[in-house]
């Protein structure tokens, strides 16, 4: 039997790929890519020439069965997304589930993801957190945030730049505009930026500086009585 490897790829800085990931990609019989054009650039950079097959959310139900058959017949298959860890707000879950249900061997390599760096560098509690990924684009955004109104854990969201202000404003309505937040953008890239402070301060900052690039929003959970420190030490960095 072969193996399905879930292989994280850099979210920006190419130096963030691991030596193990490079070895697995070089040894794979097949690499599944969310976008073969994007992955081709990465593979060429590291002189990896294994066969590529498109595997994304629009075709995964049709391709997964054949891929699992190849694994069961002894092939090694590596799954990558455009950036970060497959399955984390990217395609991957359906294939992993299908492979496991058919008795195939699955391994996930540790590696790049925007979630953890944004959380750890936020200055907000990291011992307990909840990852919400992308909120619904239209219907259900406000109700999802409302469902989190009593959440005491730190909350992490992915968001596109043109909806970041909407998220901050909706969060301020639900959680209060003094709730602390850290907005990270373009992580590991040359224009990496953190904006830390209250939701009110973040809204003001992005009113003056429209957000661009990939965004991770980390919001403080509902503070318990006596746990919140002085909010006057908020800061903004670029």
């Amino acid at each position: 039997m072969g193996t399905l490897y879930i292989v994280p790829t850099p979210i920006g800085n190419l130096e963030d790929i691991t030596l193990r990931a490079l070895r697995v990609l070089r040894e794979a019989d097949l690499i599944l890519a969310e976008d073969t054009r994007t992955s081709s650039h990465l593979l060429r950079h590291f002189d990896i020439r294994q066969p590529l097959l498109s595997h994304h959310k629009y075709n995964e139900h049709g391709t997964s069965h054949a891929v699992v058959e190849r694994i069961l017949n002894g092939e090694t298959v590596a799954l990558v997304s455009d950036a970060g860890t497959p399955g984390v707000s990217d395609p991957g879950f359906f294939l992993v589930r299908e492979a496991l249900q058919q008795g195939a061997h699955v391994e996930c390599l540790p590696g790049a993801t925007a979630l953890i760096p944004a959380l750890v560098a936020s200055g907000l509690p990291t011992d307990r957190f909840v990852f919400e990924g992308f909120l619904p684009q239209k219907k259900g955004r406000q109700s999802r945030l409302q469902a989190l109104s009593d959440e005491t854990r730190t909350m992490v969201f992915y968001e596109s730049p043109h909806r970041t202000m909407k998220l901050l404003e909706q969060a301020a309505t639900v959680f209060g505009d003094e709730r602390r937040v850290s907005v990270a953008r373009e992580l590991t890239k040359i224009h990496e930026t953190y904006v830390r402070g209250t939701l009110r301060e973040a809204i003001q900052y992005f009113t003056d500086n429209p957000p661009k690039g990939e965004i991770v929003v980390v919001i403080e959970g509902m503070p318990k009585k006596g746990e919140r420190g002085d909010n006057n030490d908020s800061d903004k960095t670029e």
Side-chain angles (χ1 to χ4, degrees):
M1 184 185 299
T3 298
L4 170 63
Y5 285 101
I6 312 303
V7 182
T9 54
I11 61 174
N13 192 322
L14 294 182
E15 294 180 356
D16 291 336
I17 197 165
T18 69
L19 295 175
R20 184 182 176 200
L22 292 175
R23 177 182 60 78
V24 167
L25 291 173
R26 290 191 176 106
E27 294 176 355
D29 296 299
L30 175 67
I31 297 174
L32 302 178
E34 182 180 3
D35 186 327
T36 55
R37 296 165 299 180
T38 300
S39 296
S40 291
H41 295 305
L42 174 71
L43 298 176
R44 280 198 300 268
H45 180 81
F46 291 106
D47 196 28
I48 297 172
R49 305 176 184 277
Q50 308 311 99
L52 271 174
L53 179 67
S54 179
H55 182 86
H56 47 72
K57 64 180 181 180
Y58 299 109
N59 73 355
E60 61 182 348
H61 287 76
T63 59
S64 291
H65 179 75
V67 169
V68 172
E69 284 295 314
R70 294 179 68 162
I71 296 167
L72 294 174
N73 287 328
E75 293 192 32
T76 296
V77 175
L79 173 66
V80 300
S81 61
D82 290 348
T85 301
V88 181
S89 292
D90 278 325
F93 163 72
F94 184 82
L95 177 61
V96 169
R97 184 179 66 180
E98 182 80 5
L100 292 173
Q101 287 178 344
Q102 297 300 318
H105 183 64
V106 177
E107 289 188 32
C108 182
L109 278 60
T113 177
L115 162 64
I116 298 302
L119 172 66
V120 173
S122 70
L124 298 173
T126 58
D127 56 334
R128 298 286 188 277
F129 66 92
V130 55
F131 176 59
E132 286 292 318
F134 287 95
L135 289 173
Q137 293 186 21
K138 296 181 181 179
K139 186 177 180 181
R141 287 177 65 90
Q142 191 75 24
S143 59
R144 183 61 207 146
L145 285 172
Q146 194 63 49
L148 294 167
S149 59
D150 294 329
E151 178 59 67
T152 59
R153 295 170 293 181
T154 301
M155 297 167 281
V156 185
F157 303 86
Y158 286 168
E159 194 52 278
S160 64
H162 63 277
R163 284 193 296 271
T164 297
M165 278 293 287
K166 183 177 182 180
L167 170 58
L168 295 174
E169 290 168 349
Q170 289 178 320
T173 299
V174 174
F175 306 134
D177 63 5
E178 288 299 311
R179 185 72 66 89
R180 291 183 296 174
V181 64
S182 173
V183 182
R185 77 173 194 90
E186 294 292 87
L187 289 176
T188 79
K189 301 175 185 177
I190 190 170
H191 296 297
E192 178 177 307
T193 305
Y194 284 89
V195 176
R196 306 179 183 92
T198 64
L199 283 165
R200 174 176 48 79
E201 291 169 333
I203 290 168
Q204 182 59 59
Y205 178 87
F206 286 113
T207 298
D208 300 333
N209 305 273
K212 299 178 182 178
E214 303 294 327
I215 305 287
V216 185
V217 179
V218 185
I219 301 177
E220 176 187 30
M222 183 176 69
K224 298 177 182 177
K225 284 188 177 181
E227 285 193 353
R228 170 173 281 177
D230 185 1
N231 248 357
N232 294 326
D233 60 354
S234 61
D235 65 320
K236 305 178 188 69
T237 59
E238 288 191 70

